[in-house]
Amino acid sequence: EALGKGFCKYLNHIRVRYATRLISTTDLSAERISDMSGFGSTHTFYDFFRDVNGCTPGEFRKRINNGNNYQK
């Protein structure tokens, strides 16, 4: 059971990294990116994205667009 939780956390981290790249390189909506990244819901995507990057997908995109290269 602990291994399953660890794997899920790892998988979601990989999904967020992919989503972060999409946000940085495309104009796709957060909802579309959530779907493309394999999240079951946009709410879950936002929660994991915030945990990994310290901000929402929209805030992250604003920082990128303002020239503040922000990556953990």
Side-chain angles (χ1 to χ4, degrees):
E1 192 171 323
L3 178 61
K5 288 182 182 179
F7 177 74
C8 288
K9 185 175 180 177
Y10 170 76
L11 181 59
N12 284 324
H13 185 77
I14 297 298
R15 288 173 173 162
V16 168
R17 287 181 60 196
Y18 177 66
T20 300
R21 186 171 49 233
L22 289 175
I23 289 169
S24 300
T25 61
T26 72
D27 290 331
L28 295 170
S29 70
E31 291 78 15
R32 180 71 179 123
I33 290 172
S34 170
D35 184 51
M36 291 174 67
S37 300
F39 285 94
S41 74
T42 303
H43 180 76
T44 302
F45 167 60
Y46 271 72
D47 286 346
F48 278 104
F49 192 93
R50 188 179 299 114
D51 286 347
V52 172
N53 290 303
C55 63
T56 67
E59 291 167 341
F60 184 87
R61 182 170 272 157
K62 284 179 188 174
R63 290 176 184 173
I64 294 298
N65 289 338
N66 289 333
N68 298 331
N69 234 351
Y70 177 83
Q71 288 196 332
K72 275 189 160 181

